[in-house]
Amino acid sequence: MDNPPPRPGPRPRPRRLGSLRARAAAAAALAMAAVLAAGGLWLYTLLRANLIENTTGRTELAARKVAAQVDTGILPADGRLGAPEGGVDLVLVRNAAGTVVATSGELKDTPELTELRPAPGSDSRSAVLPPARPGAQRRVVVAVEAPGPAGPPGAHAPHTVYAATVLGDVDDANRALAVGLLAGAPPLIAFSAALAWWVTGHALRPVTAIRTELAAVTASELDRRVPDPGGADEIARLARTVNDTLDRLERSDARQRQFTADASHELRNPLAAVRSRLEVALRDPDRESVAAALADTERLQGIAADLLLLARLDGGPAPRTEPVDLALLAAEDVARRPERGARLRLDARAPVPASGDPARLERALANLVDNALRYARTGVVVRAAAEDGWALLEVTDDGPGIPEADRDRVFERFVRLDADRGRASGGTGLGLAIARELARAHGGDVQALPAPTGGARLVLRVPATTPPASAPPPPAPPT
């Protein structure tokens, strides 16, 4: 069995001109050629029609002058007409029998002239006749009817006056114009291409500088910036956009490096503690050492889970969206927490409808409540409400509060305002950072505000939605 012929590969795509300057120059040359072709053709046609029209008018005027002589009966007796004016070459008069009765010049090539007749209902007709013989030139011929002098019917038969003008000057002028256009087109096309080449190169010079500088940006040199040419044109805006992008990239890289360093530092201490406790347990096994090692292992698991969640929030997809009642969410969180330490109270007087991922919003609220319980003295209030198109979850404690200078810094990763107390109580410094990232993933944010009682007030806000007509009543706060 013969092998099937190989399938033809994809056709190679035609190569375009390599550079933008070359394409701009080619486009300018083609545009100039098109303009010259269209403009030259229009000018040639207009000049030719105008010259022929003027020549026809002069020729008809000469014919009508002789026709007036025929009408008044003052034609020369010898049939010799005077030389016509206006550059007309020949005028002749022919009677009804076809005999030439008067002429201003030689009668050669007159058969072609006398074949022209005015149309019925008109007393004149004009035409451009081709050369009568090789080497001759075109002519404009006008035929004018001359009724003759008034008299008895049939006493005078109508005559026809013919006037002819050679179009040599017209053809020479058209020929000179065509030669001038053809001779001037290549230099103009070349000039337009060169001008487009120069202008494009001058305009793209900042782009070349931007490309060169951008190519020099590496992971170790993220502080480099492309030159800003100034002004408000597209290239200047491109340079500013590139620099803004490099700024964000540098900040992101710095944040990532800091995050890696902080994570390494946070993981090193629990790992060292687990190792030391396990070494102690190997030498002197006891339940207390194993329990402490287990607690440190659980802390490591919590840090790893928080790091994984932050990594997913940084580059993961948008959260799933479904209707959620923040008041019900807050009630469930308060209800499942045991009564110990600071007293936890719920303030939710009506449903607070929103849209988002219930599990992620629940995690964000839990982080805020955990942080408040960690620092509260006597109590924590969880409030759910809707204000100005936002669905709010507000957690207020009566602890030491957050200094104004640190109200934004507390949401950074691995930041603890009281590092020793945070580690002792099991905090990782990631809870508030996770809560803010979760809120921003839902189109909202988390802010730290001063509390009326002097403690801290953390407010999570996400866009609110319109509650359904049959919304259930809000959950009763736990006693």
Side-chain angles (χ1 to χ4, degrees), residues 33-228:
V35 169
L36 289 176
L41 181 61
W42 175 80
L43 182 60
Y44 179 85
T45 304
L46 182 65
L47 178 63
R48 179 175 175 273
N50 184 263
L51 291 176
I52 291 178
E53 182 180 358
N54 290 339
T55 304
T56 302
R58 292 186 284 107
T59 305
E60 183 176 354
L61 179 60
R64 290 193 178 277
K65 287 183 177 180
V66 175
Q69 296 180 12
V70 174
D71 291 340
T72 56
I74 57 173
L75 284 176
D78 58 358
R80 191 69 179 177
L81 298 174
E85 300 176 354
V88 179
D89 295 295
L90 176 67
V91 178
L92 61 87
V93 181
R94 194 183 67 170
N95 58 21
T99 304
V100 176
V101 297
T103 181
S104 64
E106 299 292 335
L107 296 180
K108 60 182 179 179
D109 302 332
T110 56
E112 293 78 5
L113 301 181
T114 56
E115 291 178 359
L116 188 67
R117 296 294 183 110
S122 176
D123 66 341
S124 65
R125 184 180 177 185
S126 62
V128 177
L129 300 183
R133 62 180 183 277
Q137 294 179 317
R138 297 184 307 151
R139 292 169 294 176
V140 169
V141 178
V142 177
V144 177
E145 289 287 350
H156 298 277
H159 292 65
T160 304
V161 180
Y162 294 91
T165 303
V166 177
L167 293 177
D169 294 339
V170 174
D171 292 339
D172 291 343
N174 289 332
R175 190 178 301 108
L177 176 62
V179 171
L181 291 174
L182 293 176
L188 288 176
I189 293 174
F191 174 76
S192 63
L195 182 62
W197 178 275
W198 180 85
V199 170
T200 307
H202 183 74
L204 293 179
R205 192 175 302 162
V207 176
T208 303
I210 292 173
R211 180 183 59 82
T212 303
E213 191 65 25
L214 193 59
V217 176
T218 60
S220 60
E221 295 184 353
L222 290 177
D223 58 336
R224 299 180 69 109
R225 296 296 179 268
V226 302
D228 187 350

Side-chain angles (χ1 to χ4, degrees), residues 265-266 269 299 414 416 418-428:
H265 177 73
E266 290 293 330
N269 291 336
R299 175 176 169 79
F414 297 112
R416 300 185 187 89
D418 187 350
D420 294 334
R421 182 178 180 183
R423 286 191 176 91
S425 59
T428 63

